[in-house]
Structure formats: C-alpha cells, structure tokens
Amino acid sequence: MIALVTGANRGLGRETARQLAGRGHTVLVSARSAADAEEAARELGKDAVPLRLDVTGPDLSGIAAEIEERHGGLDVLVNNAAIHYDTWQRAAEADLAVVREAVETNLYGPWRLIETLLPLLRRSEHPRIVNVSSEAASLTNMGGGTPAYTASKVALNALTRMLAAELRADGVLVNAVCPGWVATDMGGPGGRPVHDGAAGIVWAATLPDDGPTGGFFRDARPLPW
Ligand code: NDP
C-alpha cells in the first residue's frame, strides 16, 4: 500500500507516517520544505519517501504524475496539514484575512489535492481518504472562539460528506478524524501523546473494504457532526 501524508515533517503527520511505515506501507512523507521532508523520511526509515508538497502551492498538477512515475499509484491520502488554531480571536471581531488563510490551507488544500490525486486513488483496489478534522467543528457542541480554524474544519467536514457520497460507488472510503487534544506545536503542552492521536488517523487510513465512509471519528468511535 502507498500512502501520502501532508504536513508529515512534525506533529501528528509525522507520527501517522511513522505508524503507517511501521506496518510496512510505503509512505510519501510530504512537507512544504524539501529539507524537512528529507529529514523526516530519513528518520522514519526505508519505507518512507520524501516529497515536497505545499498544499497551497500554485500548481499541484505535477504531483500525480510524479507519484505515478515513481510509485505506480496511490492508495491512501491523509490530509493532515493545517494552520491557525486561532485561540486569540472570536467570530464577532475576527480578522477575516486570517480566516481566509485558514480556509486556503485547511479546506482548499485538501480539496485541490483530492481532485489532483483522485484519478490515482480510483485505480487503487482499496482507496482511502482521511481528512484530519477536529471536534471543534462539531456543530452539535459548538460554542464560540477559534473562528478561522473552526469554520475551515466545518467546511472540511462538509467536503468529507459530499465526497463520501459521490465516491461510495467507486469504493473510495472518505472519513473525517479528530485526533483528540494532542501535545504538538498546534495543540500545546498538556495534550495526550502524539502516538495516541495518530492511531485514530491510521485506523481510518487502513479500514477494510466494508469499513465506514462519510463518518466523523475519534479513536475509531463516531463523533456527532
Ligand atoms: P502542527 O502545527 O504540529 O503541524 C502542522 C503541520 O502542517 C506541519 O507539518 C506544517 O508544516 C504543515 N503545514 C502547514 N501548512 C502547510 C502547507 N501549506 N502545506 C503543507 N504542509 C503544511 O499540527 P498538529 O500535528 O497538531 O495537527 C495535525 C492535524 O491535526 C491538523 O489538521 C490539526 O488541525 C489536527 N488537530 C490537532 C489537534 C491537536 O490537539 N494537536 C486537535 C484536533 C485536530 P511546517 O512545519 O512547514 O509548518
């Protein structure tokens, strides 16, 4: 199995790549800096391959051809990269430039990458897309705060539902996963270990063919939308 993880140079992305490689999968360890991708891939071992990929980059079209040429296909896409957990602002006075930046990376990034890589994924026998989301995006329990981040992840959840419905007949399983509060640069100190947060992402990336699609999960258990 060949998997691509975005933002795999640190935090949950790096640990997700580590766990997938540990299961013997070939992992494209992508990062927006080539040096960061190479450093992470080197540390993760022989099944990890560095790939420079900025999800907001001007042209993603070469990525599919590069992956096909070097690896022959793609089975799993983990949209992990994200920015702007904006605890410093509230919706009532939010800087909309920050909201736009968050949406650019957290929604349009995954969306563009999915559109680019879907031809490869459709050819896989067991295609999976995991959109790393957050319980902050659960409308059921939503309060105020973190407006840029929350709005971008709500939209990512909507994308997850639409794609799951549209791709179900092709066997592409598409799910959103909240890793829980995890001690990374974004999560800050006090969260749970990165290993535990990544395990739920790996679960969704390696679902069996009769596994769920169009769901929102944490630790393999459904979350309310
Ligand atoms: P980090 O801030 O630790 O890491 C973010 C990663 O995304 C980095 O590798 C960063 O790369 C990368 N990235 C940012 N922008 C881009 C871009 N344009 N192109 C490619 N890569 C990019 O975050 P976490 O590991 O904590 O978060 C991972 C995912 O988990 C995110 O989707 C986040 O929303 C989600 N999540 C995290 C929680 C937590 O408590 N940590 C809770 C709920 C959800 P670079 O090093 O170049 O900046």
Side-chain angles (χ1 to χ4, degrees), residues 6-13 31-33 36 53-56 79-83 105 132-134 149 153 178-187:
T6 63
N9 54 301
R10 58 188 170 99
L12 282 154
R32 53 183 159 177
S33 142
D36 286 353
L53 174 56
D54 180 337
V55 301
T56 64
N79 286 308
N80 164 80
I83 58 169
T105 298
V132 181
S133 184
S134 167
Y149 184 78
K153 294 292 192 180
C178 171
W181 176 33
V182 179
T184 61
D185 293 341
M186 181 186 282

Side-chain angles (χ1 to χ4, degrees), residues 1 5-6 10 51 54 59 72 76 78 90 109 113 120 127 132 135 138 148 164 167 169 204 206 208 220:
M1 185 185 92
V5 182
T6 63
R10 58 188 170 99
L51 180 71
D54 180 337
D59 184 13
V76 174
V78 178
R90 294 160 48 83
L113 202 52
L120 288 185
V132 181
E135 193 178 13
S138 170
L167 302 177
T206 57

Side-chain angles (χ1 to χ4, degrees), residues 15-214:
E15 178 59 23
T16 298
R18 183 193 312 282
Q19 292 184 20
L20 287 170
R23 290 173 171 227
H25 304 308
T26 299
V27 184
L28 310 186
V29 177
S30 78
R32 53 183 159 177
S33 142
D36 286 353
E38 276 157 28
E39 184 277 324
R42 220 179 2 257
E43 192 255 330
L44 295 180
K46 65 171 177 45
D47 293 319
V49 182
L51 180 71
R52 192 173 75 82
L53 174 56
D54 180 337
V55 301
T56 64
D59 184 13
L60 300 183
S61 59
I63 287 283
E66 185 184 340
I67 292 171
E68 180 155 40
E69 194 179 304
R70 286 170 62 183
H71 305 286
L74 185 71
D75 304 294
V76 174
L77 171 61
V78 178
N79 286 308
N80 164 80
I83 58 169
H84 288 347
Y85 184 55
D86 52 337
T87 51
W88 62 88
Q89 59 177 357
R90 294 160 48 83
E93 312 88 17
D95 178 347
L96 293 183
V98 173
V99 179
R100 276 196 196 95
E101 280 177 7
V103 170
E104 198 62 52
T105 298
N106 303 355
L107 174 67
Y108 294 145
W111 203 334
R112 293 169 71 219
L113 202 52
I114 288 165
E115 289 191 350
T116 302
L117 297 177
L118 207 46
L120 288 185
L121 289 166
R122 281 187 203 273
R123 272 185 259 142
S124 163
E125 306 234 317
H126 312 284
R128 311 286 179 255
I129 297 172
V130 184
N131 292 327
V132 181
S133 184
S134 167
E135 193 178 13
S138 170
L139 294 167
T140 309
N141 302 310
M142 192 171 293
T146 64
Y149 184 78
T150 296
S152 70
K153 294 292 192 180
V154 168
L156 181 66
N157 282 359
L159 178 66
T160 303
R161 293 288 289 188
M162 292 185 283
L163 289 172
E166 293 175 12
L167 302 177
R168 182 188 292 268
D170 297 331
V172 187
L173 303 183
V174 190
N175 291 290
V177 171
C178 171
W181 176 33
V182 179
T184 61
D185 293 341
M186 181 186 282
R192 62 185 186 154
V194 76
H195 176 276
D196 298 0
I201 301 172
V202 170
W203 169 81
T206 57
L207 286 170
D209 290 345
D210 62 353
T213 190

